[in-house]
Amino acid sequence: MKLQEIKNMVLSFPTIMDISDELLLVNELMAISYADLAKDIDALKFIINSLELSHTDSGFMELTKENEGVFMSFYCWLNKINNKINLGLNASVIDSFSLTVDDIKKLMP
């Protein structure tokens, strides 16, 4: 899938997405080559920021042991692309995807 197609999917979803939509977008993004990502930094940042907004609003509450690995992979991937193609993403945006189920249990009384 191309970056613009992923952006169009984001635009078709509600601002606060279902975890299954977040997972779909994350997996599709990670399948794109660095070279193709670098061709449209604005679209890439839009997608990442949309994912971060959704995930920090409620997506993290839907983390399970089964799906947290995808978000941990995405977190590592974001760190790599942020450096490799010089995205200039804020660390807090990237760190939003590093939460685990155990982290959330600790945060919730």
Side-chain angles (χ1 to χ4, degrees):
M1 185 173 287
K2 295 181 180 176
L3 195 57
Q4 189 59 47
E5 292 172 308
I6 297 171
K7 182 179 178 183
N8 290 341
M9 283 177 32
V10 170
L11 290 168
S12 73
F13 293 151
T15 302
I16 307 306
M17 300 173 230
D18 185 75
I19 193 80
S20 62
D21 294 333
E22 288 184 16
L23 288 163
L24 171 66
L25 294 169
V26 162
N27 283 316
E28 291 294 339
L29 266 182
M30 290 192 298
I32 297 176
S33 72
Y34 290 145
D36 286 342
L37 292 170
K39 290 178 185 174
D40 195 348
I41 300 286
D42 290 338
L44 178 58
K45 283 184 165 184
F46 173 81
I47 295 163
I48 293 167
N49 288 326
S50 296
L51 277 165
E52 191 262 343
L53 175 65
S54 178
H55 198 68
T56 57
D57 182 84
S58 64
F60 75 95
M61 297 295 292
E62 296 181 67
L63 279 177
T64 64
K65 289 289 185 185
E66 290 74 32
N67 66 24
E68 77 178 1
V70 174
F71 289 104
M72 291 306 298
S73 293
F74 187 57
Y75 164 74
C76 293
W77 181 84
L78 280 175
N79 276 304
K80 285 180 189 172
I81 66 158
N82 194 40
N83 294 324
K84 189 163 184 106
I85 60 177
N86 208 14
L87 282 178
L89 289 176
N90 187 308
S92 66
V93 170
I94 296 171
D95 289 346
S96 299
F97 299 100
S98 68
L99 287 173
T100 65
V101 172
D102 291 336
D103 293 333
I104 294 165
K105 286 179 183 176
K106 291 175 191 171
L107 293 172
M108 300 299 172

